[in-house]
Amino acid sequence: MKKTVVSLILAILLFSICLTPVSATTIDYWYPENQPDFQNFHGSNLPRVVDNAEILTDSEEEELSAAVQKIVDTYNIGYVIFTDTDNHGLSKEVYSADFLYYNGYGVGDTYDAVVFYLSLEEGNRGWRTTSIGKCEEIFNADVTYEIDELVDNDIRNKGDYYSAFKKHIEYVDSLMHEKNSFPVKKFLLGVLIGYVIGLIVSLIYVSGLKKKMRVVSPVDAKEYLADGSYVVHDKSVDYLYTTVTKVAKPQDNDRSGGSSFSSGSSSSGGSFSSGGRDF
Amino acid sequence: MSDNIKSFKCPSCGSPIVYVPGSESLTCNNCSNEYSVDALIKAANFENEESSFDWGEYKRNFEENKQRFENTAVYICGSCGAQIECEKTTAATKCPYCENVVVLSDRLGGGLKPNAVIPFAIDKEAAMKAVLNHFSGKKLLPSDFKSQRKLSKITGIYVPFWLFDGGIDGKMKFGGTRIRYYSDKYYDYTETRHYNIYVSGEMRFEKIPVDGSERMDDDLMDALEPFDYSKLTDFNDGYLSGFLADRFDTDPDLSLPRAENRMYVSAESVLRGTADDGFDTISTEASALKLYDPSVKYALLPVYLLNMTYKGKNYRLAVNGQTGKVVGELPISRAKQWLYTLGIASAIAVPISLIATWFMK
């Protein structure tokens, strides 16, 4: 009887564990208890470097935090460096997007934020630059590819994560500066393109006007061909040879270098874009 | 009055009478009486020699008469008795003293007589209007170029033309290709099949006009085409009254290559059209064409001429006296040219610059 009661209790416990949803509380401390009811929010006093993988020294973390905070203050976006050794069964993309949403890193009405996530999970190592809100437009496939190229050697070959993070911060600073300042060079290039096209069109038009000022005499005599006078004596067509030229089609993954880029929805239901490489 | 000079006078009042463009009559400017060309010619008992045209005969007559017109000639006006000095090729003119119209018939007689004439169909006013219409579409024309004062100097003149007939016979070789495009997973292919195409044939051209006057710019006269040959009529010097007229002074042998080249260009185009039977590209590789059975007729065609001087340069305009088509080089306003170039460039540059800048964000 005692055995039966113990078995029953164990079975109930096991059953209740199985029925328990995969909730945030079981994954990490920052996951909300009730995900379906999650509402976006603006977090306060957020750390700018979350080194769960403990790969940075205190001084490095402090230095990086200051640099990231400066970007946050200057460009009014959420930005964080995040490392972890466990993705909790989620993809790196979703896990990093969840990190942004559930910690309230998004800024402004559209909750704009970007995270550089380094996963050191055994057998699932890689990095992702994941963005939400309007940052999705900025950190597109081309941008994340450039970032991947920038940090690849430091992370993959040297294991110098600190250097990789610094480069990421410098890149984001430069990118956001470019996006937020008046694009003088692009504007001048645009004006130059506009005037080159405008000049070509106007020169064609004016040359047409000038042509009207000249005498244009006929070069042929088709007006004077007598009706019915044309007689074909002979016509023959001889086949000679065939040539074939071929041009290789561009392959989609020509420049990937192992980079991947995807868009999707995080556990919170909010959208994200994410690009990076595994190693 | 010399037999070589014919002046058309009103049988009623004796004033000069002139041909009315677009009609078959001559009008007296004084009493407004109208006379049919044929009736007047008969009445005046004009010589109306028929000449069956033959190129060989024309060549002989041209050579025989060449010496007669080497120098400037002087004629006595039948109306006022003034001496009229005119160029060797002038066939019809006006007395500068009494405005009497004079046809120098010895310049148009015998072998020098034109086979045909297209009478003027539009008058001087219509020609001036055509010139003004021609100006209105010219955006680069200097604003001070056109003025009625200059336009009033427009002059109607019968220009001597050779009308060449001839056949072109020959063969041509073309290179043609047919192109097919296809792809597989890795490559885009272009398959080009090459062919030789041979075409031989013949065709005939009729009445290709080439001006027979050295004084007239060939390109200008060519540009006046086309003339409506359905209005081509037997030559009658009554049509010349009231207009100037020139006699030919260019050997038809010298004029023939101009017509011949045009025949070759058209013949090549016609043969090429026959060869081009669904080919994607076609190019001429060899051509062996020859002119056969050429013949020529001599005709006077109606042209209004207007010389306008602008900033020291003379601009000659010509108006087809039958159709009103206006041709001729016109001066270009540098200021307007720059204005249009920069104005249009700026108008296009502004929106394109904004679009380009937006796309580069």
Side-chain angles (χ1 to χ4, degrees):
Chain A
M1 179 68 185
K2 197 176 180 180
K3 277 185 180 178
T4 307
V5 171
V6 171
S7 298
L8 190 66
I9 291 169
L10 282 174
I12 291 168
L13 273 172
L14 196 63
F15 182 69
S16 61
I17 288 168
C18 289
L19 284 180
T20 304
V22 182
S23 66
T25 49
T26 62
I27 296 176
D28 214 333
Y29 66 92
W30 41 264
Y31 268 78
E33 289 181 4
N34 191 0
Q35 288 181 47
D37 294 336
F38 174 75
Q39 294 289 321
N40 273 331
F41 68 101
H42 297 119
S44 58
N45 299 320
L46 295 165
R48 293 301 162 185
V49 175
V50 179
D51 183 21
N52 289 349
E54 296 182 349
I55 54 174
L56 298 170
T57 65
D58 289 347
S59 61
E60 286 173 341
E61 195 171 322
E62 198 173 320
E63 188 188 336
L64 293 175
S65 290
V68 172
Q69 186 62 49
K70 191 178 172 189
I71 289 173
V72 170
D73 295 340
T74 306
Y75 304 113
N76 198 32
I77 58 164
Y79 181 28
V80 58
I81 305 288
F82 176 39
T83 70
D84 209 335
T85 54
D86 188 355
N87 295 321
H88 302 281
L90 298 171
S91 69
K92 290 185 274 294
E93 291 85 356
V94 171
Y95 185 57
S96 55
D98 285 351
F99 178 77
L100 289 176
Y101 278 113
Y102 291 144
N103 286 295
Y105 273 99
V107 171
D109 295 341
T110 47
Y111 299 93
D112 314 324
V114 59
V115 57
F116 184 53
Y117 174 54
L118 178 68
S119 165
L120 293 176
E121 186 180 73
E122 197 60 38
N124 189 21
R125 302 201 304 173
W127 69 87
R128 294 291 183 273
T129 298
T130 303
S131 53
I132 62 174
K134 285 184 178 173
C135 285
E136 285 188 61
E137 295 170 16
I138 299 170
F139 293 88
N140 55 32
D142 290 335
V143 167
T144 56
Y145 175 78
E146 281 184 29
I147 290 171
D148 294 345
E149 289 288 290
L150 198 66
V151 302
D152 188 279
N153 189 42
D154 283 337
I155 296 176
R156 200 193 297 263
N157 301 328
K158 295 181 183 174
D160 188 350
Y161 306 121
Y162 169 71
S163 173
F165 295 151
K166 274 181 71 176
K167 285 178 180 172
H168 194 277
I169 292 167
E170 286 166 9
Y171 183 89
V172 171
D173 188 20
S174 166
L175 181 70
M176 294 311 295
H177 177 75
E178 190 184 327
K179 293 287 178 189
N180 283 273
S181 58
F182 183 74
V184 177
K185 282 183 181 174
K186 287 181 177 175
F187 177 73
L188 290 176
L189 185 62
V191 169
L192 184 68
I193 291 170
Y195 265 94
V196 168
I197 294 172
L199 268 177
I200 290 169
V201 173
S202 69
L203 286 174
I204 291 170
Y205 179 73
V206 170
S207 73
L209 293 181
K210 288 173 77 174
K211 195 177 175 184
K212 287 182 179 175
M213 311 295 274
R214 295 196 295 266
V215 176
V216 181
S217 52
V219 294
D220 62 19
K222 62 185 176 194
E223 301 267 344
Y224 306 98
L225 182 63
D227 287 342
S229 71
Y230 177 45
V231 179
V232 179
H233 294 316
D234 189 34
K235 179 186 173 185
S236 61
V237 179
D238 295 344
Y239 167 72
L240 298 177
Y241 58 93
T242 298
T243 57
V244 177
T245 57
K246 62 179 184 180
V247 178
K249 286 182 173 179
Q251 300 298 310
D252 292 340
N253 58 357
D254 271 353
R255 67 159 210 180
S256 72
S259 287
S260 65
F261 184 84
S262 62
S263 297
S265 295
S266 74
S267 304
S268 73
S271 71
F272 69 85
S273 293
S274 184
R277 292 178 184 175
D278 296 329
F279 64 100
Chain B
M1 182 174 161
S2 164
D3 289 342
N4 294 331
I5 304 175
K6 289 176 182 173
S7 56
F8 292 82
K9 286 189 174 182
C10 176
S12 174
C13 68
S15 298
I17 53 176
V18 295
Y19 172 69
V20 180
S23 72
E24 286 296 321
S25 63
L26 290 88
T27 301
C28 175
N29 287 331
N30 185 43
C31 66
S32 302
N33 280 332
E34 285 191 13
Y35 304 95
S36 86
V37 175
D38 290 337
L40 205 67
I41 298 301
K42 282 180 186 171
N45 195 24
F46 283 162
E47 290 179 10
N48 199 3
E49 299 172 24
E50 292 296 327
S51 65
S52 56
F53 187 77
D54 167 70
W55 196 337
E57 183 189 340
Y58 235 111
K59 280 287 290 176
R60 286 192 298 278
N61 283 319
F62 179 75
E63 293 302 327
E64 285 171 10
N65 289 285
K66 207 172 178 181
Q67 297 301 317
R68 293 168 58 192
F69 307 105
E70 286 296 324
N71 301 312
T72 301
V74 176
Y75 291 86
I76 306 296
C77 174
S79 177
C80 68
Q83 286 193 337
I84 307 168
E85 188 174 358
C86 57
E87 292 185 31
K88 61 182 181 179
T89 55
T90 300
T93 187
K94 275 185 182 178
C95 172
Y97 302 98
C98 68
E99 293 284 304
N100 185 36
V101 289
V102 172
V103 176
L104 308 175
S105 57
D106 64 330
R107 304 286 170 101
L108 300 168
L112 302 175
K113 180 184 175 184
N115 296 91
V117 61
I118 293 180
F120 275 91
I122 61 170
D123 60 15
K124 189 175 173 180
E125 295 299 319
M128 286 168 58
K129 197 174 174 184
V131 172
L132 280 175
N133 284 340
H134 184 66
F135 287 168
S136 67
K138 305 294 181 285
K139 292 185 170 68
L140 300 182
L141 193 69
S143 303
D144 54 347
F145 179 69
K146 46 186 175 181
S147 75
Q148 290 288 344
R149 186 180 61 78
K150 289 174 181 171
L151 287 178
S152 65
K153 293 181 178 174
I154 197 164
T155 306
I157 181 168
Y158 282 98
V159 176
F161 273 84
W162 299 116
L163 304 182
F164 289 99
D165 293 348
I168 296 289
D169 187 8
K171 58 188 175 184
M172 291 184 71
K173 177 188 171 193
F174 301 93
T177 62
R178 286 198 172 101
I179 300 170
R180 185 169 74 95
Y181 302 97
Y182 58 93
S183 302
D184 61 16
K185 188 178 177 183
Y186 301 105
Y187 293 98
D188 292 321
Y189 297 88
T190 304
E191 180 192 274
T192 307
R193 294 169 69 83
H194 298 259
Y195 298 86
N196 273 344
I197 309 132
Y198 302 90
V199 179
S200 65
E202 66 178 299
M203 67 205 76
R204 186 151 189 86
F205 295 88
E206 291 176 349
K207 299 188 185 72
I208 300 174
V210 178
D211 82 85
S213 172
E214 282 184 5
R215 291 195 299 174
M216 296 296 166
D217 178 73
D218 291 340
D219 289 332
L220 191 69
M221 292 298 107
D222 285 352
L224 279 173
E225 296 173 25
F227 287 92
D228 178 6
Y229 287 142
S230 69
K231 305 294 183 195
L232 200 66
T233 182
D234 288 343
F235 177 72
N236 189 323
D237 47 10
Y239 291 118
L240 273 52
S241 185
F243 296 95
L244 304 181
D246 266 1
R247 179 188 59 80
F248 70 85
D249 59 357
T250 304
D251 190 320
D253 276 340
L254 296 176
S255 301
L256 177 62
R258 200 170 175 83
E260 194 177 355
N261 285 338
R262 291 176 64 180
M263 289 186 214
Y264 286 140
V265 171
S266 283
E268 286 190 7
S269 174
V270 170
L271 292 172
R272 186 192 183 95
T274 301
D276 191 1
D277 187 15
F279 288 96
D280 294 302
T281 67
I282 190 162
S283 58
T284 302
E285 294 192 346
S287 172
L289 302 174
K290 63 175 186 293
L291 175 69
Y292 70 91
D293 195 17
S295 63
V296 66
K297 285 183 168 54
Y298 172 32
L300 296 182
L301 304 186
V303 178
Y304 283 101
L305 289 178
L306 176 63
N307 290 297
M308 300 176 84
T309 304
Y310 185 76
K311 291 188 175 174
K313 186 180 174 186
N314 184 58
Y315 294 90
R316 172 173 277 192
L317 294 175
V319 183
N320 185 319
Q322 186 184 30
T323 64
K325 181 182 179 184
V326 182
V327 297
E329 188 186 353
L330 293 171
I332 291 172
S333 164
R334 295 290 164 208
K336 285 187 177 181
Q337 187 179 343
W338 278 109
L339 196 69
Y340 272 102
T341 304
L342 296 179
I344 293 168
S346 299
I348 293 170
V350 170
I352 288 183
S353 299
L354 293 174
I355 292 167
T357 306
W358 188 81
F359 268 105
M360 285 188 291
K361 268 185 179 178

